[in-house]
Each structure stands twice: as C-alpha cells, then as structure tokens.
Amino acid sequence: MAVTVRIPTPLRKLTNDQAEVDAVGATIENIIENLESNYAGIKERICDEAGNIRRFVNIYLNDEDIRFLDGTTTTVSDGDEVSIIPAIAGGASV
C-alpha cells in the first residue's frame, strides 16, 4: 500500500528537507522499514534499539494515534496518511 508520510521538521534533514514523502507497506512497521531504506537513519530517530516507537514520538494514521489502534502492526490502506509527531515537553507553570 502506498501512503503519504508527514515528516516533522527535526527529521527533514534525513528526507532532503521534504515535509511529505511516499512510503509503501502493509503495516506501520513496514512503512518505517520502507522509510529507512529510502532515508537512512530515520528509523533510529523513530524507534529504540528494540524496534519500539520511542516514547517521545507519536505516530498517527489518518489522525488516529496508533497506540490506540494496533501499534506498529496497525494495517494501512492505499492513500492513507501517516504523521510522525515528536512529543512537545516543557513550558512554565503559572
């Protein structure tokens, strides 16, 4: 399945400054592997050493957090949109 992947600004140096790239695969895990084969080094920024999504990275499939679906085994369909969103931390208390 071909999907569009939205790339966050911190990772765009790995995708030649592209904000969106195409990827193929049947699951989120396959999409990440396909991204890695096309943009070396991106997987280590998204996944930890065990291959799990890093806790400060959120991945959405068509606006749904994959943590509430089937995680990396979530299936994708042709034309879906995958968004990689780094978690935002910090701020000041009032």
Side-chain angles (χ1 to χ4, degrees):
M1 304 298 143
V3 301
T4 299
V5 182
R6 290 187 175 179
I7 306 296
T9 304
L11 298 182
R12 289 184 191 161
K13 65 183 177 200
L14 299 170
T15 62
N16 302 314
D17 292 321
Q18 296 179 82
E20 291 185 351
V21 298
D22 293 327
V24 294
T27 65
I28 295 294
E29 183 176 35
N30 298 148
I31 296 297
I32 293 170
E33 291 298 333
N34 184 250
L35 287 172
E36 178 64 21
S37 68
N38 293 321
Y39 308 101
I42 199 165
K43 182 178 178 180
E44 71 183 34
R45 300 286 301 275
I46 298 169
C47 299
D48 63 19
E49 300 76 24
N52 300 312
I53 303 295
R54 292 185 182 277
R55 60 186 178 91
F56 58 84
V57 175
N58 299 311
I59 297 183
Y60 288 81
L61 175 64
N62 300 323
D63 300 323
E64 286 195 63
D65 191 330
I66 65 165
R67 291 178 296 186
F68 301 110
L69 299 171
D70 293 321
T72 57
T73 60
T74 299
T75 57
V76 298
S77 299
D78 231 12
D80 278 350
E81 188 172 87
V82 174
S83 299
I84 301 168
I85 303 173
I88 305 295
S93 58
V94 180

